[in-house]
Amino acid sequence: MIKRALWQGLVAGTAGGIVMTLGEKIEQTVTGRPDSHVPARVLQRLTGLPERPGKQPLPANWAMHYGQAALLGVLRSVMAQAGLRGPVASAKFTVVRLTNDQILENATGVGAPPSTWPRKELLVDVLHKAVYAFITGAVADALAARTGPGPGQRHASVHRGRRSNAGPLPRRDAYGR
């Protein structure tokens, strides 16, 4: 399961990153919002690369932007492999994506807590991260579905909902045949 989740997650996360970037470019054309150089600045701080003022190198920006998207896609793929699929799982994953950004940006001193942002900036960020999360989720879910239901889905088919008297599935039944 983990091997599948790794490659499928990298594919799903990259797809989500590409669609998110396209959406950002469209939004920036409409709103006039400038490019963000936060990803490159975070990468520079995390790796000890030299920092420079102003506009950051595009390769550094893309390395962090797409690298983060691809790596987080692995987590969404693990969710899908386990049986956590669909829009609710993708909504949960949106929070994970936003949290990951905020941890890295705030821990490196590159960003500030979202509660201090202008509301319009916050809305734009949440929208773009939701696009990423739902596209990544759709791809991860589709790839995971090729091997059938996940262990959680198998359990739900036997014991609907969460009940104290429903023990785990036998190990032989949890992962399929």
Side-chain angles (χ1 to χ4, degrees), residues 139-152:
V139 174
D141 291 348
L143 291 171
R146 297 179 337 163
T147 55

Side-chain angles (χ1 to χ4, degrees), residues 118-136:
R119 294 296 164 235
K120 185 177 177 186
E121 270 301 304
L122 186 57
L123 181 63
V124 166
D125 193 55
V126 170
L127 173 67
H128 291 308
K129 297 311 185 311
V131 167
Y132 162 80
F134 278 80
I135 295 298
T136 300

Side-chain angles (χ1 to χ4, degrees), residues 75-101:
L75 177 60
R76 182 59 178 84
S77 182
V78 168
M79 292 171 67
Q81 293 293 330
L84 300 169
R85 300 178 187 165
V88 172
S90 292
K92 291 175 184 180
F93 185 61
T94 300
V95 175
V96 171
R97 178 66 169 98
L98 289 160
T99 302
N100 179 76
D101 274 6

Side-chain angles (χ1 to χ4, degrees), residues 23-170:
E24 287 170 337
K25 294 305 174 191
I26 293 167
E27 173 265 318
Q28 287 174 308
T29 301
V30 171
T31 65
R33 186 175 64 86
D35 285 340
S36 171
H37 298 281
V38 169
R41 292 182 186 285
V42 169
L43 182 63
Q44 291 162 348
R45 294 273 173 101
L46 289 172
T47 62
L49 289 170
E51 297 181 47
R52 59 164 79 172
K55 203 171 184 179
Q56 300 302 303
L58 191 58
N61 227 31
W62 282 4
M64 186 65 182
H65 183 75
Y66 288 110
Q68 194 175 1
L71 289 175
L72 278 175
V74 174
L75 177 60
R76 182 59 178 84
S77 182
V78 168
M79 292 171 67
Q81 293 293 330
L84 300 169
R85 300 178 187 165
V88 172
S90 292
K92 291 175 184 180
F93 185 61
T94 300
V95 175
V96 171
R97 178 66 169 98
L98 289 160
T99 302
N100 179 76
D101 274 6
Q102 289 310 305
I103 289 169
L104 293 174
E105 292 170 14
N106 283 268
T108 58
V110 171
S115 59
T116 66
W117 296 10
R119 294 296 164 235
K120 185 177 177 186
E121 270 301 304
L122 186 57
L123 181 63
V124 166
D125 193 55
V126 170
L127 173 67
H128 291 308
K129 297 311 185 311
V131 167
Y132 162 80
F134 278 80
I135 295 298
T136 300
V139 174
D141 291 348
L143 291 171
R146 297 179 337 163
T147 55
Q153 292 165 312
R154 285 186 183 88
H155 188 275
S157 70
V158 175
H159 304 288
R160 296 299 291 169
R162 187 174 181 153
R163 290 186 267 135
S164 60
N165 65 345
L169 291 177

